[in-house]
Each structure stands twice: as C-alpha cells, then as structure tokens.
Amino acid sequence: MSEQPVRVVVADDQQVVREGIVMLLGLLPGIEVVAAAADGEEAVALVAEHAPEVVLMDLRMPRCDGVEATRRIRAEHPGTAVIVLTTYADDDSLFPALQAGARGYLTKDAGSEEIARAIRDVRSGAAGLSPQVQARLLERLSAAQPPPAPESAPASEQAPEPGLAPAPAPASAPGPLPDGLTAREAEVLGLIAAGLSNQEIAARLFVSVATVKTHINNLFAKTGVRDRAQAVGYAYKHGLHHLMG
C-alpha cells in the first residue's frame, strides 16, 4: 500500500508566485496541494477547512502576516506544520517565525528538491531549515561572547549508562545557562540546533536514545519551546548553538 501524499496549503499574496509554487508542487511526487491562500487570514481559514499536514507560508502578506498566521495555526491546529517560504533571511524575519512555531524556513531561491525535502522533514517531526538559513544564523550569531571554562556536569549526568562507553563531558556554555538548563541539556540543545536526530545525538554522546528523549523533554519543559524548530531558534537566541559536544 503506497503512502498517502502530503497535503499542503500554499500561502502567498503575489498571485504569480503563488500559482508558480502550486504548479511546482504539483510536479513533485507524494505532495498534494489542497488549497492556496492570498494572505494569512485566508491561510488560517483554509487550514481549518482542509486540515493539511503542511503549510508553505510567505511572511509579508496583508491582513494577517505569516508570523501571526503561523502562531494561530500552531495554536489551533497543532497537527499542521508550517514551513516559511520567503524572500527574507534576516534575523528580524527568521527568529519571530521560529518562535511562532514554524518548523521550516526556506528562501524563495530554494529548488524543488529542497522544498520537497523540507516538507518530508517537517512531516516526520524534524526541522526543515535550509543550509543557507543555517549559515546565516551561524554568521550572525557566531560573534557571541567566548565561552568560559567548562562547567562540571552533575555526577548523575557524568555516570555512564550500562553497556555504554563513558559519555564525554558537556561542552562549555556561554556563561550561566538560561531557564535552569543543565550543561548536558544545553549540549543536547546545541546538537538539535546542528540538525542531529535523536539517534545521532545518542551516538555522539554515547548514551541511549531514551536518555536523549529525557533530556529533550526536560529542556522543552524548562524553555517553553514546543518543537525542534523552536528549540533551534532558542539555541541561537541564547548563544547555545555552538555546543556540539
């Protein structure tokens, strides 16, 4: 039995661009465009009507912009993921979109394969950030203050799990950690920001996937983020993106 196609709503206020995106997506296997919106208000209504898995969302739109539409969709329809598809990759556009709940962020020079990959990624629960956007974030925020001497992790975090090699010490953090994060939780957050999956994080830290999930649940609860895309935004905002283990 073949997998059901990903149902997508496209939102862009420029008709030519909107129709072009719809046409492009129509050529991609495994993707079905169920509706197209000319502004954020219409996008929210169409999500309520069609219950798509993914919305491709422009940012600059009349009546209701992409950030507010993303916030409303994520609050009212948590089963729908939002990928921002915009001309802008500046911090003032990027961070508000991620904080509103966008799981992906692409610029409009993205090719069809990149768009399709981002749709698949966010449908599976991963982040769909383009390499260009990640590079932009690193360029903008790598000038954060140099980290001090490494902090010692609590003994419970340093102890190796049965059958696993001793975990490496957490990377140094840039000053006091926000929201009560432990050094290990901050390191896991940095690895999420680097785009690693739970399995890859577990392999990097020599711990089990269950332990990684526990760290992620704890840091999500402490920071108030709802998903991995917001966690990436939080990591960059607080200068934790360089903690790679």
Side-chain angles (χ1 to χ4, degrees):
M1 183 175 178
S2 60
E3 186 178 357
Q4 292 296 315
V6 185
R7 293 162 50 82
V8 177
V9 166
V10 174
D12 197 296
D13 64 322
Q14 296 182 347
Q15 182 176 354
V16 172
V17 175
R18 184 172 66 252
E19 291 177 350
I21 295 171
V22 170
M23 184 178 299
L24 172 65
L25 294 179
L27 299 174
L28 300 177
I31 295 175
E32 177 188 1
V33 179
V34 296
D39 57 53
E41 197 71 43
E42 187 178 5
V44 174
L46 288 175
V47 168
E49 179 179 351
H50 295 280
E53 284 90 7
V54 177
V55 177
L56 281 182
M57 182 78 72
D58 188 23
L59 285 184
R60 307 289 195 268
M61 294 186 292
R63 291 209 300 166
C64 173
D65 66 18
V67 171
E68 178 58 25
T70 296
R71 185 177 294 110
R72 289 171 57 184
I73 288 169
R74 294 297 297 147
E76 299 169 16
H77 309 281
T80 297
V82 176
I83 299 172
V84 170
L85 183 60
T86 181
T87 305
Y88 309 95
D90 57 282
D91 289 357
D92 289 341
S93 302
L94 180 58
F95 282 121
L98 293 177
Q99 290 165 349
R103 288 187 178 178
Y105 198 106
L106 303 174
T107 54
K108 287 182 177 176
D109 58 357
S112 59
E113 290 186 4
E114 189 174 351
I115 294 173
R117 182 169 57 250
I119 290 173
R120 291 194 299 268
D121 286 345
V122 300
R123 188 194 197 190
S124 66
L129 301 174
S130 72
Q132 295 89 341
V133 167
Q134 292 191 45
R136 171 65 179 167
L137 289 171
L138 287 171
E139 288 173 6
R140 185 70 174 149
L141 297 167
S142 61
Q145 59 182 350
E151 295 182 12
S152 297
S156 60
E157 293 188 351
Q158 293 176 343
E161 298 181 29
L164 295 170
S172 56
L177 294 170
D179 295 318
L181 291 176
T182 66
R184 183 62 75 198
E185 289 164 356
E187 185 176 26
V188 170
L189 182 58
L191 293 170
I192 291 174
L196 274 65
S197 67
N198 288 359
Q199 291 78 8
E200 290 168 332
I201 294 172
R204 177 74 68 91
L205 299 181
F206 300 99
V207 298
S208 68
V209 174
T211 294
V212 172
K213 290 180 179 178
T214 297
H215 287 314
I216 291 175
N217 288 337
N218 289 340
L219 72 90
F220 273 30
K222 289 179 179 180
T223 62
V225 302
R226 296 192 298 270
D227 52 45
R228 294 177 87 94
Q230 285 194 0
V232 172
Y234 181 95
Y236 281 100
K237 179 179 179 181
H238 293 278
L240 303 176
H241 54 285
H242 66 280
L243 300 181
M244 303 301 184

